Amino acid sequence: MLTNPAFVVPPVPPACAGVAWLRATVGRFSQGTEHERRRALSTAILDQISPDSLRHAGAVHPVTALARRLGVTGSVVELVRDVAQAYQPGTGDEPRADAAVDRLVAIFGGSFDEPTAARIGVLVQACEATAALIDRTRHRRVDDVLRDDPPVPATRRQALVTTTVAGVTVQAGEVVRVRLAGDLAFGAGPRRCPGRAHALALVAGAHR
């Protein structure tokens, strides 16, 4: 399902502010050419950050390590956490996330545009998942954690048409939960996580 074009990330509605704007403007929830363009922005941000530099970041929160390399001098960990808890639709306190998104937009220059959303999105995607991976690998090998207890255990996909996968028929419009573990812990296909090397470097740096 991660590589099958008959399955897409469930769409989100357009918005002009707050966490709804962030969802509607990042690659994570986009489709087609919009996804390609917005993913390229995120990839370009990560390409400017050497994973090797993150191996020397020390025992700091992943958001702190990445934000410093994006030129942010103050602490934004709590703001990013406030966004992350409601990043997936219907999962958290959206007014708290809205306020945090607006403050982060101001920190990154004040423009509600795709480059700003990409910067915030990189921090949000790295926030809880990478922190959990660091914590779970304190006494276990990272490969074991990714196989048995990945920080992002699943993702969702929606069928565009009725499709049969591994003998299971999924109706058009149905949303299914796809397990992520082992080789798929960072996803697969055109939506695989572009920050895999950075996440693993942060884990290595935290345990030096």
Side-chain angles (χ1 to χ4, degrees):
M1 291 182 184
L2 297 177
T3 58
N4 189 330
F7 292 89
V8 299
V9 170
V12 296
C16 59
V19 71
W21 163 81
L22 182 65
R23 291 190 205 108
T25 315
V26 294
R28 173 70 179 80
F29 300 98
S30 302
Q31 315 293 340
T33 56
E34 281 191 342
H35 170 255
E36 293 173 6
R37 183 180 69 248
R38 293 167 176 177
R39 179 184 172 87
L41 289 171
S42 299
T43 300
I45 291 167
L46 291 168
D47 285 346
Q48 295 173 8
I49 303 173
S50 164
D52 189 59
S53 72
L54 299 176
R55 294 187 185 93
H56 301 282
V60 299
H61 194 280
V63 167
T64 298
L66 291 169
R68 286 174 180 171
R69 285 153 181 83
L70 296 181
V72 178
T73 55
S75 175
V76 292
V77 173
E78 292 307 317
L79 289 176
V80 175
R81 280 177 172 155
D82 283 348
V83 178
Q85 56 85 33
Y87 191 47
Q88 289 287 339
T91 60
D93 181 344
E94 295 219 2
R96 178 155 58 100
D98 290 343
V101 167
D102 291 347
R103 288 181 62 187
L104 286 167
V105 168
I107 288 169
F108 281 113
S111 297
F112 283 84
D113 55 20
E114 289 185 357
T116 301
R119 293 183 180 93
I120 298 171
V122 164
L123 298 182
V124 172
Q125 292 282 140
C127 184
E128 302 300 345
T130 309
L133 186 58
I134 289 171
D135 185 62
R136 295 175 191 181
T137 53
R138 294 192 188 282
H139 304 291
R140 289 182 286 171
R141 294 173 62 251
V142 65
D143 288 347
D144 294 340
V145 173
L146 293 175
R147 182 192 65 225
D148 301 328
D149 191 22
V152 181
T155 188
R156 297 188 305 156
R157 292 292 185 269
Q158 185 174 38
L160 294 175
V161 295
T162 299
T163 308
T164 299
V165 179
V168 177
T169 298
V170 182
Q171 299 298 322
E174 184 178 352
V175 176
V176 295
R177 188 173 184 269
V178 183
R179 185 170 181 266
L180 301 176
D183 292 340
L184 297 180
F186 289 92
R191 292 181 178 274
R192 65 192 179 281
C193 176
R196 180 182 185 277
H198 298 77
L200 296 178
L202 286 163
V203 170
H207 299 322
R208 287 174 68 90

